[in-house]
Amino acid sequence: MVLFSVCSRPLNTIRMGHTSLDKIIALQNKPSNIRNLCILAHVDHGKTTLADCLVASNGIISSRLAGKLRYLDSREDEQIRGITMKSSAISLHYSVGGEDYLINLIDSPGHVDFSSEVSTAVRLCDGAIIIVDAVEGVCPQTQAVLRQAWLENIRPVLVINKIDRLIGELKLTSQEAYIHLQKILEQVNAVTGSLFTSKVLEERAEKELEVREVGGGDSGEQVYDWSAGLEESDDSDLYFSPEQGNVVFASAIDGWGFSIHQFAHIYSQKMGIKAEVLLKTLWGDFYLNAKAKRIMKGAQSKGKKPLFVQLVLDNIWSLYDAIVTRRDKEKVEKVVSSLGVKVAARDCRHSDPKVLLSAICSQWLPVSHAVLTMVCNKLPSPLDMAAERVEKLMCVGARRFDCLPQKTQELKRAFLECKSDTAAPVIMFVSKMFAVDSKALPQNKQRPLTQEEMAQRRELARQRHAEKLAATHTADSPQQPLLHSQSGAELQTAPPAGGNSTGKSVLPLHSTTHTPTHRALTLKENNGENEEGKEHFIAFARVYSGVVKKGQKVFVLGPKYDPTEGLEKLPESCTATDDLCAVAHMACCSLGSLYLLMGRELEELEEVPAGNVLGIGGMEDWILKSATVSTTPACPPFTPLNFEATPIVRVAIEPKHPSEMPKLVRGMKLLNQADPCAEVLIQETGEHVLVTAGEVHLQRCLDDLRERFAKIEISVSKPIIPFRETIVRPPKVDMVNEDLGKQQKVAVIHQVKEEQAKYPETVQVDSTGLVTLTTANKMATVGVRAIPLPEEVTQLLEGNSDLIRTMELFSLSMKEGKTLEINQKTLESIQDLKQKLESNMQGRKWRNAVNRIWSFGPRRYGPNILVNNLEGYQRPSVWQCLEKERSRTETYRDFDNSIVSGFQLATLSGPMCEEPLMGVCFSLEKWDMRLPQQPSDQNLVEGNQVSHDGPTDVHSGTDAVSEHARDQEPQEASSSESMEPTSSNSRGKRRNIATLVDCYGPFSGQLIAAMKEACRHAFQAKPQRLMAAMYTCEIMATAEVLGRVYAVLSKREGRVLQEEMKEGTEVFIIKAVLPVAESFGFADEIRKRTSGLASPQLVFSHWEVIHSDPFWVPTTEEEYLHFGEKADSVNQALKYMNGVRRRKGLYVEEKIVEHAEKQRTLSKNK
């Protein structure tokens, strides 16, 4: 039944026109009516189409072009690919309930390669519109953006988009569509609920810990009730629910969208039911009892149509049926008249029914009205910023908010009040730098000419025309003398009375006089040629406090800036305009032009008050990617952005013509600044390497480099695939799955003896894998054993690199005699990490290993550990930040740093192909320093003892020895004065002492090299394996192309983890893992093989051991039989290893031609 008669008028009661700049500037001064929001979703869920509809509501683009123009996709490659690649901002004006609102809207990408752009957008916003495709539901990137919004403490609202696909593609009835929409809502709320649950349980654990510390530990047993904290917590406003008004159902491409508030308002007038009652019952298990004229509960159990289906969805389904499916003109006319909308005649005659549908729906249920009303009512203004979010922004790393200086803590009030007074300190955060062409800047745009300028240009055109005519006239009659006026500048001719003949005015050929206007225009043209194509950088920022003015002097604060140090060094109440002393990680600069961001356009502003998003020019020399900007040195740097994607795809770049190398270097610097996720490195080999998040991101960066930043032809290497090196336990079976029995060990033992012969004389390897290595000067011996770490431990270390870095910083500050305050939450996380390590490192060989950890590596926070198994050496623990008091018995031994440095170098580049190690524990079991002792010289004996056992707190072993030598010199001098004249023998001993002192200089370096080599040999003594980087791959495909998807996956060494059918659709979701090394061209190949019916999303997931041994050769009889004597079948690990070695210029052991003779065949050629 069609109920259009109920909806007698369109909901679009407010039509927005084009908003003037003055109106937006006026609205910027009212923070309570500002809404800063971003649009977040999975790729192709309709973000940019919805943004077009919202932009069209302000008259910036035509409503007919909404969804087709993609106004905020201003890059050419965005338009070609049909995906957003960068976040773009636009300011919109909207009026509702008699109030004017300023909507600062940021459209963000949905492709996983550009998730860093999402992070930059989310940081500047207070709310987010989450869009979910009605057919595809919650996808991986939907979960990722919900998590990002949660981590930044911003409030989301939901738009379920593409409901037209339920009608056109899935052919669902209105009842089935309602059930489908309910499930999507449950999926979204399940993601939000899991985030909320984890937060509540964390807070509860913190409270319990505080209570335990205050009241002492409970000795009695307690039953842990995990749900207690959840029951007390209020989560009523957390979930998405149509009756709360934070859900809109829409089809942005057809221009319609609604919230149930709109229908509740309409039906309350027509049916005489209170709007409040309808709000509670329109969504849910309620139905309308026509006889009793009452709304009853239990629609599902009684087999009745739910109210939402009967009053809302049936209308929309009937509309689509009449216009799109049956094209019933009579019914369409009835619908148009009952709704009271005006449809142009050309829309009615159009061959595409969607044009007529869009014309009707955009007036009846305009999506911009529904979404912007929800945004204004449900999302917070800058004044409503939560105190928790402010503290989170101000506390970098391990710092506690209450440990920040008092002046810094007072700034919290400035954040919360969001004042725009001149007295309020200016606090801004720049989330990214983006490049714009000089032509796009407002000052370089063409503006309408004034009357004077038009007159000058007219005069100039006349003069040029006269010059051209003079040149032509001279060429035609060269013997005719030129007539000049007295000034020699022009020829005046009196036109004849008749209008038929033309009067000619001639300028001399060699005249050098120009009018001032002509000269000015010529200079302007020349400057324009120089400026053309030059890239200008604009900082994408938000003002949190104060008023930002053009030309204002400010402090730019780096991520490592410490406000405590700044306040100590700088005088009180100082400003950026004063002449101040240098402070680390702080710079003073003047703000350039301020811009209002309007999508593809920029509008110049003089000042911007608090709570607004803006662009700032002239900051490229001061900010690389992101920074905190303030007028007070008490302001702390904001916490770094949360990036979901890890840059993993590397390519080496060089110019086609070597002479253009400076242009490439400059271009890569600009690219590094313009892209928040891209990294530019110069390797030891001299290669310029670009690191990106994925294949699409890489292509965009290379296009930018060629066309915008370097503007040269470049050569790009094949992708540089990262690998890791590790060791595993000795295998129990051979390559043909036979047990390695005693009868087969002969070949293995023979192989070990051959390997032992390869080691140098100074290296000894015993049967247990302990490697003993002596330095070249025979003064030190180290014994190292390599042990594979359990997989859980490796994952723990990799996932907690920030905590390990904090621990290292604390240890370093303690070594230097300083103290570093670490907040309680971080300490708890470190304690938790220690407990997890202890629980995962069980067994005899790991006994007390966690407390004996010497260092982590590489770079002091990697997933490898060095364990101290030396007898009698108690050094300070890496866990000393958890200790209340430092033990006095624990001291650093001489050359402690040399051992750590050797370990760091060994883990940074392994012996297989110079790639970093992962999941390896090096146990130092022997460290002797045998310094030669002279029995006749007591001082030397004492010196030897001190250098062996003496506790000194030093930065490097070399410094320790040189200080020790300096201390000894006066003692030796005094003793030589009191002694009798010495013989030549004693003088020889003195020379020995001098030589020993000189040997101390390079000794530290020799120890580093010895430790590094010992670790490498210990690593090689165990079964070695390569680890490959893996992507998780989620593919949505229909049943008919499923086989082709599997074929592509298996060809590329992929492994399917899960396959499930999406309920109510014909779509299968395949989850798989795929090596990064095999992923290049994967998306294109899968699209080609499936004719575009399947498209994958690749996200870096983890590192996985490649189980085949790269050094494997057949050693048992069964292996010889199975693989042959040469065993020349493809070894994937060896192929990868040799590829990396070849690229790095290392030796590769391979035979080019083994058997060159022609193959013989038994049958003759016919």
Side-chain angles (χ1 to χ4, degrees), residues 945-1114:
Q945 288 170 353
V946 171
S947 65
H948 187 71
D949 297 315
T952 49
D953 193 359
V954 292
H955 296 295
S956 71
T958 313
D959 296 340
V961 175
S962 56
E963 284 172 23
H964 178 58
R966 282 197 297 273
D967 292 343
Q968 281 192 338
E969 281 169 5
Q971 293 175 13
E972 288 168 14
S974 60
S975 61
S976 62
E977 284 172 10
S978 61
M979 284 167 70
E980 295 176 0
T982 54
S983 64
S984 61
N985 186 26
S986 61
R987 280 200 300 273
K989 288 177 183 175
R990 286 269 163 70
R991 278 198 298 274
N992 260 345
I993 297 165
T995 312
L996 180 61
V997 172
D998 291 341
C999 282
Y1000 276 143
F1003 181 69
S1004 173
Q1006 286 191 2
L1007 192 55
I1008 290 171
M1011 182 63 189
K1012 179 189 171 185
E1013 286 305 310
C1015 288
R1016 286 171 79 99
H1017 287 306
F1019 183 90
Q1020 287 173 306
K1022 297 286 181 179
Q1024 304 167 63
R1025 295 290 184 272
L1026 267 187
M1027 293 183 85
M1030 304 297 282
Y1031 278 137
T1032 50
C1033 169
E1034 186 153 314
I1035 307 166
M1036 299 185 76
T1038 52
E1040 58 263 26
V1041 296
L1042 219 51
R1044 296 175 200 172
V1045 170
Y1046 280 141
V1048 176
L1049 276 169
S1050 59
K1051 174 187 165 187
R1052 291 174 175 265
E1053 308 286 333
R1055 193 172 74 253
V1056 176
L1057 302 177
Q1058 185 184 353
E1059 176 201 302
E1060 60 179 17
M1061 192 174 187
K1062 214 166 184 64
E1063 205 171 336
T1065 69
E1066 296 176 358
V1067 176
F1068 283 86
I1069 299 170
I1070 301 153
K1071 290 182 182 173
V1073 287
L1074 182 78
V1076 173
E1078 303 290 339
S1079 68
F1080 300 100
F1082 172 71
D1084 287 340
E1085 185 182 359
I1086 213 161
R1087 272 195 287 269
K1088 282 175 189 171
R1089 292 287 300 275
T1090 62
S1091 306
L1093 292 173
S1095 58
Q1097 277 272 309
L1098 299 172
V1099 186
F1100 174 71
S1101 170
H1102 64 285
W1103 296 91
E1104 194 171 280
V1105 176
I1106 302 170
H1107 292 290
S1108 54
D1109 183 358
F1111 301 105
W1112 177 80
V1113 287

Side-chain angles (χ1 to χ4, degrees), residues 551-769:
Q552 190 175 13
K553 279 264 189 182
V554 291
F555 296 116
V556 178
L557 313 173
K560 293 182 180 177
Y561 170 72
D562 186 0
T564 311
E565 186 185 348
L567 290 169
E568 283 174 3
K569 288 189 177 179
L570 300 176
E572 242 184 281
S573 67
C574 64
T575 60
T577 52
D578 303 336
D579 188 16
L580 304 168
C581 63
V583 178
H585 310 292
M586 185 176 85
C588 299
C589 75
S590 297
L591 298 176
S593 302
L594 306 180
Y595 301 106
L596 176 69
L597 305 169
M598 293 295 290
R600 303 179 185 191
E601 309 292 326
L602 296 168
E603 297 288 348
E604 202 162 0
L605 301 170
E606 288 302 313
E607 62 177 43
V608 179
N612 287 285
V613 175
L614 77 157
I616 310 169
M619 301 293 282
E620 55 263 38
D621 295 334
W622 306 98
I623 299 173
L624 179 63
K625 289 179 187 275
S626 64
T628 310
V629 178
S630 181
T631 51
T632 167
C635 180
F638 281 27
T639 50
L641 296 165
N642 295 307
F643 287 146
E644 287 282 324
T646 312
I648 193 135
V649 181
R650 297 171 175 237
V651 289
I653 298 172
E654 60 182 27
K656 280 267 176 79
H657 308 291
S659 60
E660 292 178 329
M661 181 57 88
K663 287 185 181 178
L664 176 69
V665 172
R666 181 181 171 277
M668 289 186 80
K669 281 181 182 174
L670 293 175
L671 175 65
N672 185 37
Q673 193 166 17
D675 195 300
C677 192
E679 292 176 12
V680 172
L681 312 169
I682 298 177
Q683 291 195 325
E684 293 170 1
T685 54
E687 286 179 310
H688 287 76
V689 174
L690 175 65
V691 193
T692 58
E695 214 174 341
V696 182
H697 187 210
L698 172 65
Q699 193 57 52
R700 191 196 79 172
C701 289
L702 294 177
D703 289 344
D704 279 353
L705 204 55
R706 286 191 190 100
E707 295 162 18
R708 295 184 70 181
F709 300 127
K711 294 184 179 175
I712 58 169
E713 290 184 29
I714 55 174
S715 300
V716 183
S717 73
K718 287 182 179 177
I720 300 168
I721 315 298
F723 289 96
R724 295 288 182 266
E725 300 179 23
T726 190
I727 54 174
V728 293
R729 290 179 179 178
K732 292 179 181 178
V733 294
D734 61 11
M735 290 292 283
V736 288
N737 289 333
E738 292 280 339
D739 284 337
L740 287 169
K742 291 178 184 177
Q743 71 278 10
Q744 297 160 338
K745 288 278 179 75
V746 180
V748 178
I749 293 163
H750 179 64
Q751 187 184 351
V752 169
K753 284 180 181 175
E754 280 182 1
E755 285 177 0
Q756 184 66 42
K758 294 177 189 174
Y759 292 118
E761 291 179 8
T762 53
V763 180
Q764 292 179 346
V765 184
D766 68 8
S767 58
T768 62

Side-chain angles (χ1 to χ4, degrees), residues 846-875:
W846 298 117
R847 192 176 298 148
N848 204 27
V850 174
N851 290 319
R852 287 187 279 107
I853 292 176
W854 195 324
S855 179
F856 300 89
R859 298 186 183 90
R860 294 184 177 267
Y861 58 86
N864 305 285
I865 58 174
L866 175 65
V867 171
N868 172 18
N869 274 332
L870 297 170
E871 289 183 14
Y873 179 31
Q874 295 290 324
R875 69 185 299 282

Side-chain angles (χ1 to χ4, degrees), residues 60-97:
I60 296 169
I61 62 170
S62 164
S63 58
R64 289 176 178 277
L65 294 174
K68 302 174 186 72
L69 185 65
R70 300 209 308 278
Y71 181 73
L72 294 179
D73 286 355
S74 52
R75 292 171 58 99
E76 189 182 349
D77 49 0
E78 287 180 315
Q79 292 287 344
I80 292 166
R81 282 184 178 268
I83 60 169
T84 305
M85 295 185 184
K86 59 162 189 16
S87 47
S88 306
I90 192 164
S91 294
L92 305 173
H93 166 228
Y94 183 67
S95 296
V96 64

